[in-house]
Amino acid sequence: MAQTVSETQPAAHVKEPETISGGHLVAKALKAEGIDVIFTLCGGHIIDIYDGCVDEGIAVVDVRHEQVAAHAADGYARVTGKPGCAVVTAGPGTTDAVTGVANAFRAESPMLLIGGQGALNQHKMGSLQDLPHVDMMAPITKFAATVPHTARVADMVSMAFREALNGAPGPSFLEIPRDILDNSVPVESATVPESGRYRASTKSIGDPASVEALADLLVRAEKPVVLLGTQVWTSRGSDAAVDFVRTLDIPAFMNGSARGTLPPGDPHHFHLSRRYGFNNADLILIVGTPFDFRMGYGRRLPKSATVVQIDLDYRTVGKNRDIDLGLVGDPGAILAAVTQAASGRLQKTDRKAWFAELRAEEDAAYQKRLPRQLSDANPIHPLRLAHEINEFLTEDSIYIGDGGDIVTFSGGVVQPKSPGHWMDPGPLGTLGVGIPFVLAAKYARPDKEVVALFGDGAFSLTGWDFETLVRFKLPFVGVVGNNSSMNQIRYGQEAKYGHDRGRIGNTLGDVKYDEFARMLGGYGEEVRDPKDIGPAMQRARESGLPSLINVWVDPDAYAPGTMNQTMYK
Ligand SMILES: Cc1ncc(C[n+]2csc(CCOP(=O)(O)OP(=O)(O)O)c2C)c(N)n1
């Protein structure tokens, strides 16, 4: 029997409850966290999130590979201090993003990856792109979960952020099944945590007695050194670190994102004398960087020195090498507390001789390298390229390194002039972070200049997203140190297997990346003569476009670390 109109229409006095969909709840939760952009590649499972972003005024930056979206979320977190967010579809969308999440995990970078999933009502029936995403993500995230109900969507997004930002930060992953995302629930049944009210500050100074103990040690030390690591920047402790170093008069080395905490030329800034400094110090303070392969697992530090470690993560303190004192907490907060604890008790210390000794080492190492750095040789020596880039950087240049040997060379020469202005993959050593980091950095900080150095191998992994930079009008100065080869690997192979067998699987074609840039709507130039590097970069700067200067570098020049194979020791 046909229904009458009166049977299908609600009575006029019954008000329909206002409803909201899962995708719109995601957007509300992102907004509450202060997120103003998502990096994404579309898929049918996730489109309702885009619609929610439109309502909340969150930008949608669409890229050409999900790895790029995930690296960009990592990069955005590094640049802004807020967690980054990438949204990808189920199955291959999520697997493509795994590398970006893994990189953020090792680099302790807070980000949220949201992945699609088949509808719950088709659970384990073989729906399109169904995979056990949460199981895949669990080992490389701080938190990985499925959202089981639309009303829980926003609540679980904020839960994921809470976990990502606790202690040493890192990535979180949320899988949202298609029906959960697309369904709507009454607004009043959905929990939407309010901005600023769903998590606490984690800026702890740890045990106050340890703060006092460290102040004591530092006041009494005759030859102290400090290594400021990435967490100094992550915790936005750069000012506290500078105050600490100056008040306590300690020579400082910097690595990772903490490079630039003190500008080059500062009397407390040391760089090339680190090994000497560690070998001869009576007190070594390691702040916010683990004893991993980059630190020789801490085993090269002399037994005679007092070793103190400060870290956001209790699991890092005392790992791989015994320490004399460990402090777990926020590096910036701890350094500020130690400065305060020491300032009333500072004895007249005279560290002039220690500073002079280190400065002499520093200068000698610099002079030794200088001829290669200024070399007019053709093909171009990678150190000359690094030198030209260093000369080109201003206080406002964010430098990004993505490559093997070419970037290793630049590590010794390129000196960022402000904290957080150096970006590299971190301990996962992931080639391909360059273009995504450019995207994130230039998007988040349009006021900054972004300068990136790529190996030709590294650029190829994610290079198609150069087009995304063109499409979103994000200019940057890009340089490809082109040796038509994967040199960092080739060296070890040739050393072990000889010239012919050593060239298997590591040589590349002579690709003109300048032409590639122009093809995609950017600026491109080719350089073969070292004196042309600087002017070409300047023209790239003035073009106002994403750019690639293809610099042909000497394929037979290897970085010292590669020749010693230090990364495997
Ligand atoms: C994603 C990824 N794949 C492979 C490697 C191993 N790897 C380390 S350095 C390197 C060579 C990089 O070549 P290129 O970027 O051209 O720099 P070059 O060493 O030639 O200067 C490779 C393949 C890696 N680190 N990351």
Side-chain angles (χ1 to χ4, degrees):
M1 199 173 77
Q3 288 176 317
T4 62
V5 172
S6 61
E7 280 173 312
T8 55
Q9 286 193 342
H13 63 275
V14 181
K15 208 169 160 245
E16 285 285 314
E18 202 191 329
T19 61
I20 185 163
S21 70
H24 285 72
L25 284 166
V26 168
K28 280 199 179 301
L30 296 182
K31 184 85 178 282
E33 188 59 43
I35 300 231
D36 52 16
V37 58
I38 59 167
F39 300 97
T40 186
L41 196 155
C42 65
H45 294 83
I46 53 171
I47 52 177
D48 197 54
I49 297 178
Y50 297 174
D51 199 58
C53 286
V54 173
D55 272 1
E56 299 298 332
I58 297 171
V60 175
V61 172
D62 47 325
V63 298
R64 290 174 171 269
H65 194 294
E66 288 88 351
Q67 181 184 350
V68 172
H71 284 318
D74 170 357
Y76 177 89
R78 298 184 194 204
V79 172
T80 62
K82 298 189 283 191
C85 181
V87 177
V88 297
T89 201
T94 301
T95 57
D96 274 357
V98 164
T99 301
V101 173
N103 194 70
F105 186 65
R106 285 294 303 270
E108 300 180 340
S109 185
M111 61 167 281
L112 171 63
L113 179 75
I114 298 178
Q117 174 61 299
L120 270 191
N121 66 8
Q122 296 164 343
H123 187 53
K124 296 213 181 287
M125 290 174 68
S127 69
L128 172 70
Q129 299 175 333
D130 184 4
L131 275 182
H133 306 123
V134 172
D135 293 344
M136 282 165 22
M137 290 292 181
I140 54 166
T141 53
K142 297 187 74 188
F143 176 79
T146 305
V147 180
H149 194 286
T150 305
R152 295 289 316 285
V153 167
D155 171 37
M156 288 197 69
V157 169
S158 43
M159 192 181 283
F161 283 129
R162 195 181 299 121
E163 297 285 351
L165 292 160
N166 177 36
S172 283
F173 171 70
L174 275 185
E175 163 193 90
I176 313 184
R178 193 176 51 74
D179 46 357
I180 301 301
L181 197 72
D182 288 346
N183 285 351
S184 290
V185 291
V187 169
E188 61 269 24
S189 76
T191 323
V192 185
E194 222 174 283
S195 187
R197 297 188 60 190
Y198 57 81
R199 55 184 177 81
S201 161
T202 55
K203 279 198 178 298
S204 112
I205 61 159
D207 184 347
S210 299
V211 168
E212 291 295 327
L214 176 54
D216 247 2
L217 287 171
L218 288 165
V219 167
R220 279 189 275 113
E222 286 173 11
K223 294 175 145 200
V225 291
V226 60
L227 173 63
L228 302 171
T230 291
Q231 288 181 2
V232 172
W233 171 247
T234 313
S235 66
R236 296 303 187 265
S238 308
D239 289 347
V242 171
D243 192 31
F244 167 84
V245 161
R246 290 191 178 143
T247 308
L248 285 140
D249 204 21
I250 301 177
F253 300 95
M254 287 148 276
N255 78 6
S257 305
R259 294 175 66 137
T261 303
L262 291 163
D266 186 286
H268 291 88
H269 174 290
F270 291 86
H271 179 58
L272 299 173
S273 54
R274 193 170 101 173
R275 177 68 68 87
Y276 182 92
F278 283 169
N279 283 347
N280 293 282
D282 62 355
L283 186 145
I284 301 171
L285 172 60
I286 307 289
V287 188
T289 190
F291 289 136
D292 64 12
F293 70 98
R294 296 167 298 179
M295 286 285 295
Y297 306 99
R299 290 172 196 157
R300 289 198 289 264
L301 300 185
K303 294 234 167 0
S304 54
T306 300
V307 175
V308 182
Q309 221 182 339
I310 298 174
D311 205 277
L312 279 161
D313 191 342
Y314 74 94
R315 290 170 300 185
T316 297
V317 175
K319 182 177 168 185
N320 297 338
R321 189 207 190 274
D322 284 1
I323 50 165
D324 297 281
L325 178 66
L327 295 90
V328 177
D330 180 88
I334 292 176
L335 291 178
V338 172
T339 307
Q340 204 184 14
S343 57
R345 293 188 279 139
L346 268 185
Q347 293 162 15
K348 192 105 190 100
T349 54
D350 189 359
R351 294 185 179 145
K352 271 207 185 79
W354 175 227
F355 270 84
E357 195 180 326
L358 274 182
R359 191 58 67 196
E361 275 299 312
E362 187 87 10
D363 291 346
Y366 180 74
Q367 290 303 331
K368 191 168 164 215
R369 199 186 56 198
L370 198 57
R372 280 174 300 153
Q373 209 172 299
L374 299 177
S375 161
D376 286 328
N378 201 324
I380 295 168
H381 196 285
L383 277 175
R384 173 68 188 266
L385 174 56
H387 173 80
E388 295 294 335
I389 292 174
N390 191 43
E391 294 289 300
F392 184 79
L393 297 186
T394 70
E395 263 186 15
D396 277 324
S397 308
I398 297 178
Y399 171 80
I400 294 166
D402 179 16
D405 258 26
I406 190 74
V407 172
T408 308
F409 275 118
S410 87
V413 178
V414 175
Q415 297 289 332
K417 293 159 180 60
S418 315
H421 285 51
W422 170 280
M423 294 174 78
D424 65 26
L428 199 66
T430 314
L431 298 180
V433 296
I435 286 289
F437 280 4
V438 171
L439 172 63
K442 193 65 193 174
Y443 188 89
R445 296 300 305 269
D447 55 317
K448 296 276 176 189
E449 174 174 72
V450 176
V451 178
L453 173 62
F454 307 92
D456 53 325
F459 179 82
S460 315
L461 272 87
T462 51
W464 272 107
D465 268 288
F466 186 92
E467 187 278 330
T468 306
L469 298 166
V470 174
R471 195 162 19 104
F472 282 88
K473 299 190 173 39
L474 299 171
F476 81 107
V477 178
V479 178
V480 181
N482 196 341
N483 52 19
S484 307
S485 171
M486 306 270 201
N487 257 19
Q488 196 164 84
I489 306 305
R490 188 162 66 91
Y491 179 84
Q493 264 176 278
E494 289 204 20
K496 192 167 177 192
Y497 303 105
H499 180 267
D500 293 339
R501 297 176 78 102
R503 299 176 73 84
I504 305 296
N506 55 36
T507 54
L508 300 165
D510 293 337
V511 178
K512 289 170 171 279
Y513 292 94
D514 49 316
E515 288 186 9
F516 179 77
R518 289 201 296 272
M519 179 186 85
L520 294 176
Y523 181 84
E525 268 195 59
E526 180 182 55
V527 170
R528 290 185 185 274
D529 191 321
K531 70 174 176 359
D532 295 333
I533 299 170
M537 289 181 74
Q538 186 59 30
R539 286 188 289 273
R541 175 182 269 163
E542 285 160 10
S543 75
L545 293 170
S547 63
L548 289 178
I549 307 299
N550 187 56
V551 181
W552 297 102
V553 294
D554 186 353
D556 295 320
Y558 298 101
T562 297
M563 291 196 275
N564 290 325
Q565 298 280 284
T566 47
M567 59 282 210
Y568 305 119
K569 287 180 179 162

